[in-house]
Every structure is written in C-alpha cells, then in structure tokens.
Amino acid sequence: MTTVLILNGPNLNLLGTRRPEVYGTATLADVERLCQREAREAGLEPVFRQSNHEGQLVDWIQEAGIQAAAGDCLGAVFNPGAFTHTSVALHDAIEGVRLPVIEVHISNVLGREEFRHHSWISPVARGTIIGLGIHGYPLCIRALTMTARA
Ligand code: CA2
C-alpha cells in the first residue's frame, strides 16, 4: 500500500501537555487518529514519525524521497516545529528529494512573534496549511491526494 509520511519536529511530542491557549488540548496521539482516518479513506498507509533532532528529520525525508521515487510513498505532511524558522538543512533535504511535502502548523505563525513569520520550509514545500489546529494535518493528506500524483 502507498504510504504517506506524517512527520513532526521538536517538542511536538509535548502537544496537549502545555500551552493550550496556543496549541489546544489535543495530543500527538489525537493527530495520529485524525490522520489514520483520513489516510484510510484515501487508501493510504500513514507512517508517523516525531523527532527532536534535526539530522533524524533529514534522514527520514531522504528515506521518504527514495520511497517516493519508487512510487511507494505519496508524500509527506511536515510540521517542522521551531526548525521551520532556523533550518537550512531541512530546506536542503526537501529540495534534494522528489518528495511532495505539505508544511503544516497548528498555530497561526503569521499572527505570532516576528521570528515565526519566516519559514525555511515554505519555499520548497508544495503548499502550507497554518492556524487550523490539528485539523490541518488531515487537510494536508487530502491536499496530497489531490495534487501529488499530478
Ligand atoms: O504551530 C505550530 O505547529 C508550530 O510549528 C509549533 C512549534 C513552533 O515553534 C512553531 O513556530 C509553530 C512549537 C511546537 C512545540 O509545541 C509544544 C506544545 C506543547 C507544549 C510545548 C510545546
């Protein structure tokens, strides 16, 4: 079955434990449940990964890129967390593979501090969904199914 990678960056394992005014009360397990349902309806197998380490995220993007080239992976939904605003390495990793990536943010980063307004990921992402809470994740899967095979 074709996979879809759901990739989460640093501190997103803490979702639902603190800062509910910004990130809501749902946990990463709730994100996975929403994605599981959306992926199943699309006939895809979701693969969930979370890491606090930049290099690990680079490795998973490269791995998914190889799978995408073989036709085994449709693309990735990626919340890079704070690496969004700092990581040239993740920018280069996405640019270096033929993997459709949809960037997702739970909060509306454009309505927050200035340092969150710049994303190193957006220029190399197929698209971005921000500010819709955890509902952004299944919407990204839907977006991949509508655009990735094009
Ligand atoms: O809104 C998003 O999804 C972010 O990617 C979340 C990142 C933040 O650095 C980005 O600017 C926007 C932070 C993830 C940390 O999430 C926590 C959740 C609960 C408690 C502590 C951190």
Side-chain angles (χ1 to χ4, degrees):
M1 192 183 276
T2 306
T3 61
V4 57
L5 176 63
I6 319 297
L7 188 55
N8 280 287
N11 296 309
L12 285 156
N13 53 314
L14 299 176
L15 212 56
T17 65
R18 286 189 294 124
R19 311 226 52 201
E21 72 286 2
V22 182
Y23 300 117
T25 54
T27 65
L28 201 55
D30 294 323
V31 171
E32 294 190 4
R33 264 188 287 278
L34 287 182
C35 290
Q36 186 88 47
R37 191 189 309 156
E38 189 69 40
R40 198 179 303 125
E41 279 173 15
L44 297 167
E45 179 190 339
V47 174
F48 299 103
R49 299 274 184 265
Q50 186 276 328
S51 179
N52 296 325
H53 304 279
E54 192 175 21
Q56 176 65 81
L57 295 166
V58 168
D59 286 346
W60 283 331
I61 288 166
Q62 290 184 5
E63 204 176 278
I66 291 167
Q67 290 164 4
D72 296 333
C73 176
L74 186 66
V77 175
F78 188 22
N79 186 342
F83 288 149
T84 306
H85 319 297
T86 64
S87 182
V88 177
L90 287 169
H91 170 107
D92 288 350
I94 295 167
E95 197 174 40
V97 291
R98 287 188 58 199
L99 176 74
V101 171
I102 312 272
E103 177 186 357
V104 63
H105 295 288
I106 295 165
S107 64
N108 180 1
V109 283
L110 296 179
R112 299 182 64 192
E113 305 96 319
E114 187 105 29
F115 70 84
R116 295 185 204 276
H117 295 185
H118 178 261
S119 169
W120 284 101
I121 308 306
S122 299
V124 288
R126 175 156 289 189
T128 306
I129 292 180
I130 67 166
L132 303 181
I134 68 168
H135 303 292
Y137 286 81
L139 289 173
C140 288
I141 296 177
R142 182 85 63 92
L144 277 173
T145 65
M146 293 190 296
T147 65
R149 290 193 177 98

